[in-house]
Amino acid sequence: MSQLLRVQSFTVSSDGFGAGEGQSLETPFGHADPGSLLAWAFATDHPPIARSEPGSRGLDDYFTRDYARNIGAEIMGRNKFGPQRGPWQDHEWQGWWGDEPPFHTPVFVMTHHSRPSFTLADSTFHFVDSDPAAALSRAKKAAQGKDVRLGGGATVIRRFLDADLIDTLHVAVAPIELRSGARLWESPDELSDRYHQDVVPSPSGVTHHVFWRK
Amino acid sequence: MSQLLRVQSFTVSSDGFGAGEGQSLETPFGHADPGSLLAWAFATDHPPIARSEPGSRGLDDYFTRDYARNIGAEIMGRNKFGPQRGPWQDHEWQGWWGDEPPFHTPVFVMTHHSRPSFTLADSTFHFVDSDPAAALSRAKKAAQGKDVRLGGGATVIRRFLDADLIDTLHVAVAPIELRSGARLWESPDELSDRYHQDVVPSPSGVTHHVFWRK
């Protein structure tokens, strides 16, 4: 089977924003509260950042437990790595993800500003200044036959949608309004010309949207 | 994490039967049509028996792609292996599952009649005459730290439910009436005293019931 580019468990507000305005070191999601936006995922048995206590094993857990299945690399936007803008000033600061990042694969950070690669535990961060197709080509090579996850944020997902490079998307829509920020879509129906779509309301309050190519 | 016993993508009719009456070599599901009962699973990209053509990647595929995830052994009832009753007469006949069975692990067949183990491709069949707890203990050892799948049919699932040995269940309810056969339940609500339950209607017409221990 060919290698896919997959958006996995990306969460947006009911009005389509993946993060709020005013991102800073202290507020990675700007004015959005990640604890509310991502509550559905953190309640499951396979949350995006592992913990030892058991969680729910219902519908939502099928989505979170699929997050890393057959994934060999991730591509992310610069703002998912950190709040800096312009040239990198401080190479000591190694991103928001701590000493043991939850990626466990090579990670390609899209940025116009070069920076040396570095490794934290089993995640290696590379900084790439290229168009989406070239970045995907590099990530697929690094993934060694497995799929590539497109980690977000909203802006980088839109760039890859515009380039028609995404094979499948799972987007969870949380029952929260943000009114401004980084927008993924006005409506999920924007993708209906190119993708099949399943819409699945969850008992947790989010609605899962699953897209795969027509 | 401890090893779980999981029922995975087991399908029943709307009136609770996992198979019809009159099982024979030619009719493994008795009067039930497996093509209708299991249509939802065979339409996905990860059907229970692999094929080369791509399938749907919506909600139903999250369930079928989870079928083998972290599974190290299967326990099944005798009627899932073959239609014979009483002592084994013909050791040449090696079950319904062909030369490359879709299990890829040790398989423990519950039967009162002993028979030597044998291997087909990467599935080894063992025949065990023991109570559910002892069979599970043996399967867990064979699973080498992974979970054990309880493969059905309905009768063996009920026995393990009665012994309170099942940790999670995913049961798909198909929009088909069978009226008689091997019954899993009168109603899924029978499990509500012991399990949390998510009920998820799928666009394909089946309803997924997901149970995990309270």
Side-chain angles (χ1 to χ4, degrees), chain A residues 128-174:
Chain A
V128 296
D129 179 15
S130 62
D131 62 18
L136 177 57
S137 173
R138 197 168 155 197
K140 279 189 172 173
K141 196 168 174 190
Q144 298 189 300
K146 293 187 175 181
D147 294 341
V148 176
R149 182 175 50 232
L150 184 57
T155 307
V156 80
I157 294 175
R158 287 186 66 105
R159 283 185 66 198
F160 279 77
L161 277 174
D162 290 345
D164 200 24
L165 293 171
I166 303 179
D167 297 296
T168 69
L169 302 91
H170 161 234
V171 179
V173 177

Side-chain angles (χ1 to χ4, degrees), chain A residues 58-59 65-66 69 198 212, chain B residues 58-59 65-66 69 198 212:
Chain A
L59 172 67
R65 76 172 72 141
D66 191 65
R69 185 190 56 80
D198 273 358
W212 67 106
Chain B
L59 173 66
R65 77 174 69 144
D66 191 65
R69 185 191 55 82
D198 272 359
W212 68 104

